[in-house]
Amino acid sequence: MFIGKISITLKESVLDPQGNTVKRALHEMGEEAVDDIRIGKYIEVKLDANDKESAKEDIDRICKNLLVNPVIESYSVEIVAV
């Protein structure tokens, strides 16, 4: 059994209005040290796979087919045995 820990973020070239809103709110709260914020998603998927490499391939396929919009998002995966 494995868990795929997936971090999805907007590509640098894509504007992040949600991040800008949070940054503005933090500045209004006096947190002037905050230079930039990018909002993303974190997803965990538990897999019944034979080995770590198979789990990685499964997670990559799931990300490409459903979880990630490759036009505006990029992702990274960590596979952990449980």
Side-chain angles (χ1 to χ4, degrees):
M1 189 71 71
F2 295 89
I3 294 178
K5 298 181 177 190
I6 307 161
S7 296
I8 303 171
T9 56
L10 291 171
K11 291 183 176 180
E12 288 296 320
S13 60
V14 177
L15 295 176
D16 185 358
Q18 187 178 10
N20 288 338
T21 300
V22 173
K23 178 180 139 181
R24 190 171 38 257
L26 286 170
H27 283 185
E28 289 172 4
M29 295 169 59
E31 300 294 343
E32 294 297 326
V34 175
D35 186 50
D36 194 24
I37 293 181
R38 305 285 289 176
I39 304 294
K41 299 179 269 187
Y42 174 77
I43 301 168
E44 286 190 0
V45 178
K46 189 179 283 186
L47 294 170
D48 185 12
N50 294 329
D51 55 49
K52 194 171 187 175
E53 187 57 39
S54 296
K56 173 82 164 93
E57 290 172 4
D58 290 346
I59 291 294
D60 280 334
R61 185 178 60 257
I62 291 167
C63 286
K64 290 173 183 170
N65 289 336
L66 180 66
L67 299 179
V68 177
N69 178 345
V71 175
I72 62 170
E73 297 173 320
S74 57
Y75 70 99
S76 62
V77 176
E78 177 187 359
I79 303 294
V80 179
V82 290

